């Protein structure tokens, strides 16, 4: 799934984008069956979905050609995936929604998959309210789905409803306490709520499951800085930079170190001026 991490926004953090998986779950592929050539259609859909990520324009042309040749809903789904990877999130989300009554008609898992993908498209389009409604509809189809709970938490956090995001992440972790990402996202939500002690506890849990994760180390430094412990924050940023210097997290840590050093330098100059005046 593609996520803009809304929890890591702010002066001392980095918002990130990740690409949604192109390949489709078996439930959704099975939902496009029902024709004598269903196996061929599934193979073509998988191939088109893979191409959509690497070459969205090419996949879009293939999908529209396929529709003209009678590809039906499978071809429309391929077009939606290509639109998503081409950055036309509104069109992709609308098309995925429109396919739910047919491709998801007889399979709740297929319907939930489409609704979830449509939700992420609308979230990328900046409509967190519509995204949340789609995630909720998906959860109605497959209650307790951990990935969907995490996705809805993102949508809720986008609307600055951090307590609701925490509730979803609580539910996700109750079902799967080994999800390091959910601990990290909940820590970020707690950070936004200024619950720094809870945030640090969740980061510790995330690092126990995924030692050395530069994203978690960066976030720990950010939380410590907001809590007033700049020295410890700089230690974490230095560690994140050493662990993954060429990653987005390593670069954000380096930027935090540079900016705080600059602030400290300016403060030192001001003190020197004050002494001269006295």
């Amino acid at each position: 799934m593609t996520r803009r991490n809304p929890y890591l926004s702010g002066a001392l953090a980095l918002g990130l984008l990740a690409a949604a998986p192109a390949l489709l779950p078996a439930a959704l592929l099975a939902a496009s069956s029902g024709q004598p050539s269903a196996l061929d259609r599934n193979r073509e859909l998988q191939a088109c979905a893979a191409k959509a990520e690497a070459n969205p324009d090419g996949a879009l042309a293939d999908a529209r050609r396929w529709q003209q040749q009678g590809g039906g809903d499978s071809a429309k789904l391929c077009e939606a995936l290509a639109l998503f990877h081409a950055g036309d999130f509104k069109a992709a989300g609308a098309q995925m929604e429109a396919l739910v009554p047919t491709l998801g008609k007889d399979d709740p898992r297929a319907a939930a998959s489409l609704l979830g993908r449509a939700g992420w498209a609308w979230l990328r389009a900046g409509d967190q309210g519509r995204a949340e409604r789609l995630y909720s509809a998906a959860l109605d189809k497959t209650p307790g789905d951990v990935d969907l709970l995490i996705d809805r938490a993102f949508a809720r956090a986008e609307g600055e409803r951090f307590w609701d995001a925490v509730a979803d992440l609580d539910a996700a972790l109750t079902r799967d306490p080994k999800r390091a990402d959910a601990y990290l996202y909940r820590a970020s939500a707690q950070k936004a709520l200024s619950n720094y002690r809870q945030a640090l506890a969740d980061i510790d849990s995330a690092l126990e499951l995924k030692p050395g994760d530069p994203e978690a180390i960066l976030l720990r430094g950010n939380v410590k800085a907001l809590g007033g412990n700049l020295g410890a924050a700089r230690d974490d940023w230095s560690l994140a930079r050493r662990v993954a210097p060429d990653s987005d997290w390593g670069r954000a840590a380096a930027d935090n170190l540079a900016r705080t050093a600059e602030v400290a330098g300016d403060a030192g100059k001001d003190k020197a001026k004050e002494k001269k005046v006295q």
Side-chain angles (χ1 to χ4, degrees):
M1 58 189 167
T2 47
R3 289 181 183 163
R4 183 173 76 82
N5 191 329
Y7 310 132
L8 299 185
S9 59
L12 295 179
L14 184 70
L16 303 175
L17 294 176
L23 296 184
L24 304 176
L28 192 49
L29 286 171
S32 65
S33 304
Q35 300 291 333
S37 58
L39 182 59
D40 290 337
R41 287 195 179 203
N42 283 350
R43 287 173 179 163
E44 190 160 358
L45 180 56
Q46 280 283 23
C48 187
K51 186 174 182 178
E53 187 172 1
N55 180 9
D57 291 338
L60 187 59
D62 289 349
R64 288 173 176 169
R65 225 173 5 251
W66 189 15
Q67 288 182 56
Q68 292 172 357
Q69 296 167 356
D73 289 339
S74 296
K76 291 177 182 177
L77 177 55
C78 180
E79 180 182 20
L81 294 170
L83 287 166
F84 178 89
H85 287 291
D88 194 346
F89 302 122
K90 290 183 179 180
Q95 183 135 318
M96 289 179 191
E97 281 187 74
L99 289 169
V100 173
T102 52
L103 291 182
K105 180 181 179 181
D106 299 316
D107 189 337
R109 294 174 302 159
S113 178
L114 273 172
L115 287 163
R117 288 166 185 271
W120 184 243
W122 282 110
L123 190 57
R124 291 290 300 273
D127 192 337
Q128 66 266 14
R130 189 165 182 173
E132 181 180 350
R133 288 193 295 274
L134 288 165
Y135 286 134
S136 295
L139 283 162
D140 287 341
K141 301 288 185 182
T142 54
D145 183 287
V146 171
D147 286 315
L148 286 171
L149 285 166
I150 293 172
D151 287 349
R152 189 171 66 178
F154 270 88
R156 289 177 163 179
E158 277 288 276
E160 299 186 354
R161 293 171 50 205
F162 295 107
W163 282 117
D164 290 330
V166 168
D168 274 344
L169 293 164
D170 287 347
L173 285 165
T174 296
R175 289 184 169 272
D176 187 355
K178 298 295 185 181
R179 289 292 295 263
D181 57 341
Y183 280 113
L184 188 59
Y185 304 148
R186 190 172 68 179
S188 300
Q190 296 287 12
K191 166 183 164 286
L193 292 164
S194 300
N195 295 330
Y196 302 136
R197 182 177 298 178
Q198 294 93 321
L200 289 172
D202 275 341
I203 294 169
D204 287 343
S205 295
L207 284 168
E208 285 179 14
L209 293 165
K210 194 177 178 182
D213 177 20
E215 183 179 7
I217 296 168
L218 169 66
L219 179 59
R220 187 172 64 185
N222 295 347
V223 173
K224 287 177 179 177
L226 291 170
N229 192 346
L230 188 57
R234 288 178 61 82
D235 288 341
D236 274 334
W237 294 332
S238 296
L239 177 58
R241 186 177 60 177
R242 289 198 304 273
V243 168
D246 297 324
S247 70
D248 290 323
W249 305 293
R251 286 189 286 270
D255 185 54
N256 289 347
L257 287 166
R259 284 188 285 110
T260 53
E262 183 179 344
V263 170
D266 290 343
K269 291 177 183 178
D270 290 341
K271 285 184 179 180
K273 289 179 181 177
E274 289 176 5
K275 286 183 180 179
K276 287 182 180 179
V277 171
Q278 293 173 353

